[in-house]
Amino acid sequence: MKVVRALADLRRLRADLPNPHGLVPTMGALHEGHLSLVRRAKRECDSVGVSIFVNPAQFGPAEDLASYPRNIELDLSMLEAQGVDVVWTPEESEVYPPGFQTWVTVEELSRPLEGARRPGHFRGVATVVAKLFNAFQPQRAFFGQKDAQQVMVIRRMAADLDFPVEIAVCPTVRESDGLAMSSRNAYLKPAERQAATVLFRALTAAKRAFDGGERDAERLREILRGVIAAEPLAKIGYVSVADPSSLAEAAGRVNVGLMSLAVQIGNTMLIDNLSLDER
Ligand code: PAF
């Protein structure tokens, strides 16, 4: 496995790697969720690249950029064990050189949910992912369903800007009690870690109601809110039952939908989602 910092070195190495090339973009602090993406990339592609870059452009001024977990040595040993071909760990100045002023904005899909909670977040994500696609020239790129809106934004961006890359989405990887794996789970104190299961409990309660015949969007949102309200350490960021292609909030009857949650536990905002589909 080659680890490079300079874009020129990445390009040189990439030129000798066979296609299809699979890219797994990450911000490091790797966990089983990331490794599930890498394993799938290994199965489906003839070479695999991983980026590790804590992208400042997707963090708001009051967010956790400085404290975001970083463990590059451990990350690299995990990737080496998976047989990754190349890892790019660029400096910030390599990705955003002095004078940088070109941004990618996916207009509508970036507005609700995480976009409303984190202004500018998806502009940062879409821009860095576009740059990663240019750098790695992957035929396939792998993302987790846990960040469902991110996947939608990236898919739209890739289609709109004619990137010849297939966006592959892998299921959310969960702890045994249902908590979705996330690098930010490391922030949780023991009591908060316990309370954090409320996201999955809320989603599964609403899904159970849907599977039992409940189709009213507002009633499903009430079920989500009710479970979260019963957890003393949890504070609702947002609760959404939305159209899975536009992310517009559903009104009245839902036959297919995406339920999304942002819930603050202590100082940590966690997100999760589950699809609804009556078929
Ligand atoms: O999901 C993430 O870790 C990041 O948003 C991504 C896609 C690597 C872009 O920085």
Side-chain angles (χ1 to χ4, degrees):
M1 183 176 86
K2 297 278 196 302
V3 182
V4 289
R5 279 185 98 65
L7 176 59
D9 292 338
L10 173 67
R11 288 196 194 283
R12 230 183 334 269
L13 286 170
R14 172 64 184 100
D16 293 332
L17 289 174
N19 294 336
H21 181 72
L23 168 64
V24 181
T26 83
M27 299 207 299
L30 303 182
H31 50 67
E32 263 308 306
H34 297 109
L35 297 184
S36 74
L37 307 181
V38 172
R39 284 190 203 105
R40 176 152 168 215
K42 286 287 295 178
R43 280 199 304 276
E44 294 184 2
C45 300
D46 288 344
S47 63
V48 172
V50 173
S51 60
I52 298 180
F53 178 60
V54 183
N55 174 31
Q58 67 187 75
F59 288 78
E63 292 186 18
D64 57 343
L65 174 62
S67 59
Y68 194 84
R70 290 162 170 87
N71 198 339
I72 189 74
E73 291 313 317
L74 187 60
D75 290 346
L76 293 177
S77 66
M78 288 161 117
L79 295 175
E80 173 109 63
Q82 297 298 328
V84 165
D85 297 282
V86 61
V87 182
W88 189 35
T89 60
E91 300 275 6
E92 184 180 337
S93 59
E94 183 84 275
V95 180
Y96 301 111
F100 185 90
Q101 53 185 293
T102 303
W103 297 97
V104 179
T105 303
V106 178
E107 303 271 342
E108 284 169 28
L109 285 172
S110 296
R111 275 190 204 119
L113 308 178
E114 286 301 282
R117 183 174 82 74
R118 307 179 69 186
H121 171 67
F122 286 119
R123 181 181 92 142
V125 170
T127 302
V128 83
V129 172
K131 293 188 63 115
L132 293 170
F133 287 174
N134 278 329
F136 282 85
Q137 306 270 310
Q139 281 69 47
R140 245 166 253 161
F142 297 81
F143 298 88
Q145 173 63 21
K146 159 144 184 307
D147 297 305
Q149 187 178 11
Q150 168 169 284
V151 170
M152 293 169 73
V153 166
I154 290 169
R155 240 201 201 125
R156 187 75 256 164
M157 181 275 288
D160 289 352
L161 298 184
D162 306 316
F163 281 104
V165 57
E166 182 195 319
I167 308 299
V169 186
C170 303
T172 302
V173 178
R174 298 181 181 280
E175 305 284 358
S176 57
D177 60 6
L179 177 65
M181 289 202 184
S182 160
S183 305
R184 290 191 168 97
N185 292 351
Y187 297 145
L188 299 169
K189 303 194 182 95
E192 295 170 349
R193 169 64 188 78
Q194 201 63 29
T197 57
V198 74
L199 285 89
F200 190 60
R201 284 190 276 122
L203 290 167
T204 45
K207 173 88 165 69
R208 222 175 300 120
F210 180 85
D211 291 342
E214 181 59 72
R215 290 290 179 276
D216 184 69
E218 193 44 36
R219 180 67 202 122
L220 292 167
R221 283 188 281 266
E222 273 166 22
I223 294 170
L224 294 166
R225 283 190 213 106
V227 176
I228 300 165
E231 171 51 67
L233 294 183
K235 202 169 128 218
I236 292 177
Y238 57 75
V239 158
S240 162
V241 178
D243 179 292
S245 13
S246 68
L247 293 181
E249 280 307 306
R253 190 182 166 84
V254 241
N255 300 327
V256 288
L258 180 71
M259 298 189 291
S260 310
L261 298 178
V263 177
Q264 188 172 337
I265 309 279
N267 291 325
T268 308
M269 190 65 90
L270 299 175
I271 61 170
D272 201 351
N273 66 81
L274 214 54
S275 294
L276 299 171
D277 190 341
E278 69 181 6
R279 280 165 300 164

